[in-house]
Amino acid sequence: MSRLRRLSLASRLILATLLVLAITLPLAGLGLAQHFRTTATGAFDRQLEALLNVVIAGIAWDDVQQRLVQERDLGDPRFERVFSGWYWQVSDGGERVLTSRSLWDQRLPVRSTVDVLHHDQVGPRDMPLRVIERDIQLAPLETPLHVSVAAPRKTLDLELDRFARLVALSLAGLGLLVLTMLALQVRWGLAPLRRMQGDLSQVENGDAERLDTRLPAELARLAGAMNAVLERDRRLMAHARHAAGNLAHALKTPVSVLTTLADGIEEPRRSRVRDELARIDSAVRHHLARATAAGDAGLAPRIAVAETLAPILEGLGRLAGRRGATLEHRVEEGLRVRMAPQDLQELVGNLLDNALRWASRRVRFYGFEADDGLWLSVEDDGPGMDAAQRQAAMGRGARLDEQRSGSGLGLAIVADLAALHGGRLVLNTSPLGGLSARVWLPAQPLAEMPARMD
């Protein structure tokens, strides 16, 4: 049932028409075949009745020879060919019998009936026959004569079978024609929906900002309403980013001033004040990073990873040199991801900043395609982390070494950014001996992922 609900509009229309045709065409064929059977059988019986009347008209009694004679020739050679299936017979039920040459030494059964009787029976050599018969009174005979005319049933059956095949082929052709015309009609009728779907894909890919409203009236209003929603969302995202930037600047100066003022406070209160200020700074940075990234997760364009990260890798490479370390990096050509450029730079920048802060000599960065998405991997030769430390590092503001600078916020921001785009962060031990931080991002965002089939 769930699969039927997921059928496209075109499939639904064609399937419904197919069901209607599958019911109506066979019923129509049966009706036509039955009507033709009745009509053809009636015409065949009338032909036999005409022959019966000719036979009756030619019957006479020969007084000299005291026997029945047929004074008229039916003029049909089929009644002369032995066992042809075309027979006539005149009999009083006793010794007076007159038959066509085709019957030879065989006889047809005699049934006493005043009215004309039509029926099927088996004749000589087990041949199915169509028989018409009646009783007549012939002077000077006192006993009624029974007159029968028979024809092979095969003649009628062949005509009925020919018509049945013709009806079946005609209705099959009609059904195929109706389905073909319906498919063309559905394709033409749903073309605006396909165009609208293509426009939506372009908007999702970041290749367009609006839907084309040159559509039929019913869809033009829908496209216009969707454009209004998209425009409102863009304004809200721009406003949110602008507000987040203003908030960052508004809080930066008071926190710096309070940090400076804390230097004049005696221990241990100074350390406690500085810790609380650091927590405020970490919380602000954390939620600002999420606020600036969440807005573009659904409508972000596909960007080239190598081109987007080039400034970050160049700048952090110089920073690594000043710290006496080396930053090795390699990104596969043609690697692309659906993500805002600043979000990708923020994600990789935090990974590399964390690695350079703890590395002794070497940091390696790789970007490669795998697992229906891409991996961004950062490795260092620092002290690394055990399982408990890796779990703790994922928490916002975790500090594993108070001797080092930084708030420990980078990995938590990376985890949040990856999750917002349908990805995940994996921490492990690096082959260099330190920490390995790997981020997997899907090839398409969550909004585009196909629904799971039951």
Side-chain angles (χ1 to χ4, degrees), residues 255-273:
V255 171
S256 299
V257 172
L258 289 174
T259 302
T260 302
L261 293 175
D263 292 338
I265 302 176
E266 297 180 355
E267 293 290 355
R269 294 177 61 191
R270 180 174 60 188
S271 298
R272 291 184 61 186
V273 171

Side-chain angles (χ1 to χ4, degrees), residues 203-206 233-234 237 241 289-302 337-344 416-423 441-449:
V203 171
E204 290 176 348
N205 293 335
D233 286 347
R234 289 191 185 92
M237 287 188 288
R241 285 186 177 276
R290 292 197 63 176
T292 55
D296 290 339
L299 302 177
R302 293 187 182 275
V337 66
R338 178 75 60 78
M339 201 174 190
Q342 59 268 34
D343 292 345
L344 181 61
D416 282 342
L417 285 173
L420 285 171
H421 293 83
L441 295 172
Q444 54 186 350
L446 292 174
E448 294 182 22
M449 289 185 178

Side-chain angles (χ1 to χ4, degrees), residues 304-348:
V305 175
E307 181 181 345
T308 303
L309 295 181
I312 297 294
L313 295 174
E314 182 180 355
L316 291 178
R318 290 196 297 267
L319 177 62
R322 289 196 295 269
R323 294 181 178 179
T326 59
L327 172 59
E328 305 168 14
H329 56 85
R330 180 168 59 85
V331 179
E332 287 184 357
E333 291 294 332
L335 198 63
R336 304 180 74 85
V337 66
R338 178 75 60 78
M339 201 174 190
Q342 59 268 34
D343 292 345
L344 181 61
Q345 292 173 350
E346 177 82 8
L347 187 150
V348 175

